[in-house]
Amino acid sequence: MKLLVIGSGGREHALVWKLAQSPHVTRMWCAPGNAGIQQEQTEKTKRPVECVNVGAEDLPGLLAFAQEKKPDLTVVGPDNPLALGIVDLFQRNGLRVWGANRKAAQFESSKAFSQRFMEKYGIPTARSGTFSEPAAARKFAASLGGRCAVKADGLALGKGVLLTTNLAEAEKAIDEIMVGKVFGAAGTKIVIQEFLEGMEISLHALCDGKVAKLFPTAQDHKRALDNNEGLNTGGMGAYSPTPFLTDAQLVDVAKMILDPFLRGCTEEGIDFRGIIYPGVMLTKDEPKVLEFNARFGDPETQVYLTRLENDFVELLDASVNGTLGTMELKWSPLASVCVVMASGGYPGSYAKGKPIHGLDGAARLPNVKVFHAGTARAGEQIVTSGGRVLGVTAWAKDLQAAQSAAYAVVERIKFEGAHFRRDIAAKALG
Ligand code: AMP
Ligand code: GLY
């Protein structure tokens, strides 16, 4: 099979790495990819993965490329092309593609849609209100004592959520989003949720329009600094499994979320083939869904795919074909930890083009994979080109060993200004 993967982050490097291991794959492209993706090759044919200079949101460019190369399957990583309807576009043009179609992607592209869906189908979530007008929003925020999550309805590069602890902050957040339009048109409508406390985990389930196959638990670390301080980021590290739910509890939680999710999709005429990723807060009362994403988490994917034992191409194929019901997901009993190395200053402004040292040594280590995110090639040198630069991932018999192994590799990799958290997986280790 010939495969095209769309995206350029650490998630896409992990997708490419795992897909390239399948004996079904003879040739692969990635649009636009990164310097690490460019170093991968298909295991069967030993053919380098070819990065092509077409952006993940350039739908006409991607369609033209796919029409020329005729991949047997296109795999879409990021949320934006899904929300823009890349799946529908490719399908209309007779191309096989994996990912949520536009209607299914609404779970992520509209928080108001998700919130209404959760309430209608009885999925446990935070108390909330949806508003298109600031006065009513302020009144609702006051009823919550100002302890809220104020969310722009639309996609805002993962940044459209402001957490507030008092009414003055909540009113400021409402004004910034609705009046100041800090997230642009995404903030025309907002969802306000009550502020929930507890341990936050990531769930993922692969769907084929009829069934949803649950992944093990993972946990991301969204804040920039140790002890969950600093600004929200795309994710500074992840690990799997988490100790916060037993296997039996996980099955119960999944039932509370996925059964009504699938029933709701059927009733609303949503053909969900792709991955659903609910962000869940384990509150002291019960687990509650904070939000849905309609794509793989980043950096959760890096830890999941280093534990997945199935042929990944066969799983995505079954997700597209509607035949997942006959398949069993197999996971390694090993634990996996991914530590993100970011550019100094991220998630604020940061410099690019810093040479990265130590990658070759790291590549020779067993049970370690350094996934690239914001990297580029400058001649013979690999340099930084984004906020999140690398996802240093290690797997071992337990979390403690995986954490030590990941940090041992982080210490070997150097670039000017490198910033990473030192407490990835620490909460799980007590
Ligand atoms: P979202 O994009 O909706 O997941 O929000 C981004 C982050 O904000 C989440 O990962 C949580 O850490 C936090 N968050 C979102 N909603 C809430 C909430 N209702 N209560 C507390 N924290 C929240
Ligand atoms: N892990 C956070 C995200 O992918 O949104």
Side-chain angles (χ1 to χ4, degrees):
M1 279 172 80
K2 294 182 288 181
L3 301 189
L4 168 62
V5 175
I6 293 173
S8 63
R11 166 185 48 216
E12 285 76 22
H13 190 182
L15 293 171
V16 165
W17 173 80
K18 186 69 184 168
L19 290 166
Q21 292 169 22
S22 166
H24 297 292
V25 180
T26 53
R27 188 168 181 191
M28 265 180 102
W29 300 273
C30 186
N34 61 38
I37 290 172
Q38 212 171 15
Q39 291 177 325
E40 300 296 337
Q41 60 174 12
T42 55
E43 202 153 293
K44 187 176 176 206
T45 52
K46 307 284 179 229
R47 208 169 163 158
V49 173
E50 296 158 66
C51 288
V52 289
N53 191 17
V54 185
E57 287 160 36
D58 175 4
L59 268 52
L62 293 167
L63 177 64
F65 180 80
Q67 283 174 324
E68 183 195 331
K69 301 292 184 186
K70 303 194 171 37
D72 300 289
L73 183 66
T74 295
V75 175
V76 186
D79 49 2
N80 271 350
L82 295 170
L84 290 169
I86 190 169
V87 168
D88 315 59
L89 177 71
F90 273 42
Q91 284 172 344
R92 276 199 305 277
N93 285 276
L95 292 158
R96 282 185 82 239
V97 54
W98 178 85
N101 62 29
R102 191 178 192 146
K103 200 166 173 189
Q106 281 182 99
F107 279 103
E108 180 158 7
S109 62
S110 168
K111 296 211 187 264
F113 169 86
S114 269
Q115 202 64 39
R116 188 197 59 85
F117 184 98
M118 288 196 273
E119 282 158 22
K120 182 164 174 194
Y121 294 101
I123 297 175
T125 182
R127 239 178 87 201
S128 80
T130 297
F131 305 94
S132 343
E133 188 267 301
R138 286 193 206 106
K139 203 161 153 206
F140 183 72
S143 78
L144 297 174
R147 290 179 52 74
C148 329
V150 183
K151 306 186 173 191
D153 173 49
L155 289 179
L157 301 169
K159 290 187 184 154
V161 176
L162 300 176
L163 303 175
T164 65
T165 56
N166 57 53
L167 190 55
E169 279 176 23
E171 289 185 343
K172 184 163 168 265
I174 292 165
D175 282 352
E176 280 177 7
I177 300 180
M178 299 192 89
V179 185
K181 293 269 188 289
V182 287
F183 305 122
T188 307
K189 221 189 300 180
I190 62 171
V191 171
I192 297 181
Q193 289 179 337
E194 66 178 316
F195 187 92
L196 294 176
E197 279 175 271
M199 189 66 90
E200 190 178 344
I201 60 168
S202 301
L203 298 183
H204 282 64
L206 187 63
C207 304
D208 72 348
K210 299 190 285 282
V211 302
K213 292 279 183 177
L214 182 67
F215 283 23
T217 53
Q219 187 171 44
D220 186 11
H221 297 64
K222 296 211 170 159
R223 301 297 195 95
L225 306 175
D226 287 3
N227 300 317
N228 288 334
E229 289 173 9
L231 294 173
N232 249 325
T233 69
M236 293 299 293
Y239 65 95
S240 172
T242 72
F244 308 118
L245 289 176
T246 63
D247 288 348
Q249 286 170 321
L250 175 60
V251 170
D252 285 347
V253 169
K255 248 188 135 39
M256 280 166 70
I257 298 171
L258 294 178
D259 288 1
F261 167 78
L262 289 171
R263 188 166 47 82
C265 283
T266 306
E267 287 194 23
E268 307 275 322
I270 298 169
D271 185 14
F272 201 110
R273 296 173 199 238
I275 194 128
I276 186 78
Y277 153 21
V280 176
M281 193 70 96
L282 302 174
T283 71
K284 64 179 185 334
D285 304 328
E286 60 171 353
K288 291 187 176 164
V289 177
L290 297 177
E291 60 152 2
F292 282 114
N293 301 293
R295 38 93 198 161
F296 273 106
D298 186 347
E300 288 92 332
T301 308
Q302 292 84 318
V303 291
Y304 280 138
L305 295 186
T306 49
R307 296 188 62 212
L308 181 69
E309 292 182 338
N310 299 72
D311 183 315
F312 194 35
V313 174
E314 289 176 7
L315 284 186
L316 297 190
D317 236 1
S319 167
V320 173
N321 291 343
T323 54
L324 261 184
T326 61
M327 305 197 64
E328 192 194 340
L329 268 55
K330 297 194 193 81
W331 300 94
S332 139
L334 302 182
S336 185
V337 173
C338 171
V339 179
V340 169
M341 296 183 75
S343 295
Y346 172 79
S349 62
Y350 51 83
K352 296 183 185 179
K354 305 288 179 197
I356 307 172
H357 305 285
L359 291 171
D360 290 346
R364 287 191 287 273
L365 300 172
N367 301 340
V368 165
K369 179 72 191 173
V370 178
F371 292 111
H372 290 219
T375 68
R377 216 161 235 297
E380 285 303 292
Q381 184 68 55
I382 291 179
V383 300
T384 66
S385 70
R388 291 190 291 175
V389 176
L390 301 168
V392 177
T393 309
W395 50 101
K397 65 177 192 325
D398 56 32
L399 266 182
Q400 177 109 52
Q403 186 201 44
S404 308
Y407 278 108
V409 182
V410 167
E411 295 300 336
R412 298 168 66 130
I413 298 177
K414 309 277 179 215
F415 57 89
E416 193 188 316
H419 158 67
F420 56 90
R421 276 181 62 161
R422 294 184 183 271
D423 64 346
I424 303 304
K427 263 189 270 173
L429 295 166

